[in-house]
Amino acid sequence: MIVYLKLLLTALFWGGTFLAGRIIAPVVPLYTAAFFRFVIASLCLVWIARRMEGGLPALSRESLISVILLGLTGVFAYNVLFFTGMRTVTAGRAGAIVAINPVVIALFGALFFKERLTLLKMAGILLSVAGAIIVISKGDYRSLTAGGISMGDWCVLGCAVSWIIYSLLGKRAMNKLSPLSAVTYSCIAGTALLFVPALMEGMIQKAACITLTGWAGIIYLGLFGTAIGFTWYYQGIKAIGAAKAGVFLNFVPVSAIVCGYIFLREPVDFSLAAGVACIIAGTYMTNSNPDCRKAKGTCRNYPAR
């Protein structure tokens, strides 16, 4: 029972990251926000790795290259695009767009890793893509070809692309590293990559100007959205399997929409609700197959954070 509660809370935490990003993005410089987020996340994850796995393993040259690429895609690129996009895109809308990740990852897994693509999975992929189009176009598909997609939307889509690359790279990295070690090392690598841009942005001077609300959002992203969220998610995978744990990812866009509506009074129109319903149904169809039960927290069930 505890593991299911942790997975549900994890989905709520990840939905809340879009709310936190929406609050932070307009008032904290993006590199500064991303750097402090992952300083907090890295410190927490190193401590968790010591408690759960006795520490982090030494990296081979191949593993070092892998974690640098993970940090570059899943931490550096993702968060630069995330904080840029969240300046103009609502929390619910961003959560819905990024929610298509597991479906696209499953498709790329079939293309590049020869994973079996059943008719049910193909139908789920098509349904999820249709849902994403409904959300992005706000129910008017003609806007896709008429300049109706904003720069913020493109940035959120970029988040999805960077996370897909991160997930595919992560699958290979976890041939040598445990999921917790891979996530921890990627956070450390990403933090190092963010340091110089944050410094050039005036991080030291601007840190003193960050409000309590801004710091609360940064701490939330680092502690709950990254460290605790990933730890509980992988504990769930270990306890009940990747297929059952992955089902809880369907609550992430719902959580983002509810948080945006309650705390920021963001509107929820029919196209957003319909698009999210399609994405959730498609994600469930894509991942509800026996192959997922054999997975160990790899590619297809990597969450968006």
Side-chain angles (χ1 to χ4, degrees), residues 8-44:
L8 180 59
L9 288 174
T10 296
L12 295 177
F13 291 158
W14 282 333
T17 60
F18 296 98
L19 173 65
R22 191 83 173 104
I23 293 171
I24 294 169
V27 295
V28 183
L30 67 92
Y31 291 108
T32 299
F35 176 77
F36 283 126
R37 171 188 181 178
F38 282 95
V39 166
I40 295 167
S42 297
L43 291 173
C44 292

Side-chain angles (χ1 to χ4, degrees), residues 108-160:
F108 275 83
L111 293 175
F112 295 108
F113 297 101
K114 308 302 180 185
E115 296 178 359
R116 192 161 61 94
L117 194 61
T118 64
L119 288 174
L120 181 64
K121 290 179 69 172
M122 287 190 288
I125 288 169
L126 291 174
L127 184 58
S128 291
V129 170
I133 290 173
I134 292 171
V135 170
I136 294 168
S137 67
K138 297 182 180 179
D140 182 10
Y141 70 91
R142 292 171 297 183
S143 67
L144 297 176
T145 57
I149 302 180
S150 69
M151 182 56 68
D153 289 329
W154 284 116
C155 287
V156 176
L157 284 169
C159 288

Side-chain angles (χ1 to χ4, degrees), residues 11-86:
L12 295 177
F13 291 158
W14 282 333
T17 60
F18 296 98
L19 173 65
R22 191 83 173 104
I23 293 171
I24 294 169
V27 295
V28 183
L30 67 92
Y31 291 108
T32 299
F35 176 77
F36 283 126
R37 171 188 181 178
F38 282 95
V39 166
I40 295 167
S42 297
L43 291 173
C44 292
L45 285 167
V46 167
W47 181 81
I48 291 169
R50 290 189 63 182
R51 292 291 301 270
M52 295 181 62
E53 299 183 354
L56 296 171
L59 292 175
S60 65
R61 183 176 179 179
E62 180 183 354
S63 295
L64 177 61
I65 293 172
S66 293
V67 298
I68 291 173
L69 291 173
L70 290 174
L72 182 63
T73 55
V75 176
F76 184 89
Y78 181 94
N79 281 271
V80 170
L81 292 165
F82 174 77
F83 284 112
T84 302
M86 295 312 297

Side-chain angles (χ1 to χ4, degrees), residues 3-302:
V3 69
Y4 289 101
L5 178 60
K6 283 184 175 181
L7 286 168
L8 180 59
L9 288 174
T10 296
L12 295 177
F13 291 158
W14 282 333
T17 60
F18 296 98
L19 173 65
R22 191 83 173 104
I23 293 171
I24 294 169
V27 295
V28 183
L30 67 92
Y31 291 108
T32 299
F35 176 77
F36 283 126
R37 171 188 181 178
F38 282 95
V39 166
I40 295 167
S42 297
L43 291 173
C44 292
L45 285 167
V46 167
W47 181 81
I48 291 169
R50 290 189 63 182
R51 292 291 301 270
M52 295 181 62
E53 299 183 354
L56 296 171
L59 292 175
S60 65
R61 183 176 179 179
E62 180 183 354
S63 295
L64 177 61
I65 293 172
S66 293
V67 298
I68 291 173
L69 291 173
L70 290 174
L72 182 63
T73 55
V75 176
F76 184 89
Y78 181 94
N79 281 271
V80 170
L81 292 165
F82 174 77
F83 284 112
T84 302
M86 295 312 297
R87 289 174 178 171
T88 56
V89 180
T90 63
R93 183 173 165 83
I97 294 171
V98 175
I100 198 174
N101 275 359
V103 173
V104 180
I105 290 168
L107 177 60
F108 275 83
L111 293 175
F112 295 108
F113 297 101
K114 308 302 180 185
E115 296 178 359
R116 192 161 61 94
L117 194 61
T118 64
L119 288 174
L120 181 64
K121 290 179 69 172
M122 287 190 288
I125 288 169
L126 291 174
L127 184 58
S128 291
V129 170
I133 290 173
I134 292 171
V135 170
I136 294 168
S137 67
K138 297 182 180 179
D140 182 10
Y141 70 91
R142 292 171 297 183
S143 67
L144 297 176
T145 57
I149 302 180
S150 69
M151 182 56 68
D153 289 329
W154 284 116
C155 287
V156 176
L157 284 169
C159 288
V161 172
S162 65
W163 195 256
I164 289 164
I165 297 171
Y166 173 84
S167 299
L168 295 173
L169 292 171
K171 181 171 184 179
R172 295 206 169 189
M174 284 188 287
N175 290 332
K176 304 284 186 180
L177 299 169
S178 70
L180 179 57
S181 295
V183 170
T184 303
Y185 271 127
S186 70
C187 286
I188 294 171
T191 304
L193 291 168
L194 287 163
F195 177 71
V196 172
L199 203 60
M200 293 176 66
E201 196 177 51
M203 171 183 66
I204 296 175
Q205 297 84 355
K206 292 177 180 178
C209 300
I210 299 174
T211 64
L212 287 177
T213 302
W215 279 117
I218 291 170
I219 292 169
Y220 176 89
L221 288 171
L223 181 60
F224 294 97
T226 306
I228 294 176
F230 270 91
T231 301
W232 284 2
Y233 182 71
Y234 286 120
Q235 285 178 348
I237 288 175
K238 185 176 180 180
I240 65 175
K244 290 182 179 179
V247 170
F248 284 84
L249 297 181
N250 292 324
F251 290 103
V252 174
V254 177
S255 172
I257 291 171
V258 171
C259 287
Y261 177 77
I262 293 175
F263 296 103
L264 300 178
R265 293 293 185 263
E266 294 179 347
V268 181
D269 58 25
F270 177 77
S271 64
L272 179 59
V276 168
C278 290
I279 291 170
I280 291 174
T283 302
Y284 181 80
M285 291 165 63
T286 304
N287 290 285
S288 60
N289 64 78
D291 290 342
C292 283
R293 298 187 183 97
K294 300 176 183 178
K296 296 180 179 179
T298 55
C299 178
R300 76 191 66 182
N301 284 318
Y302 254 48

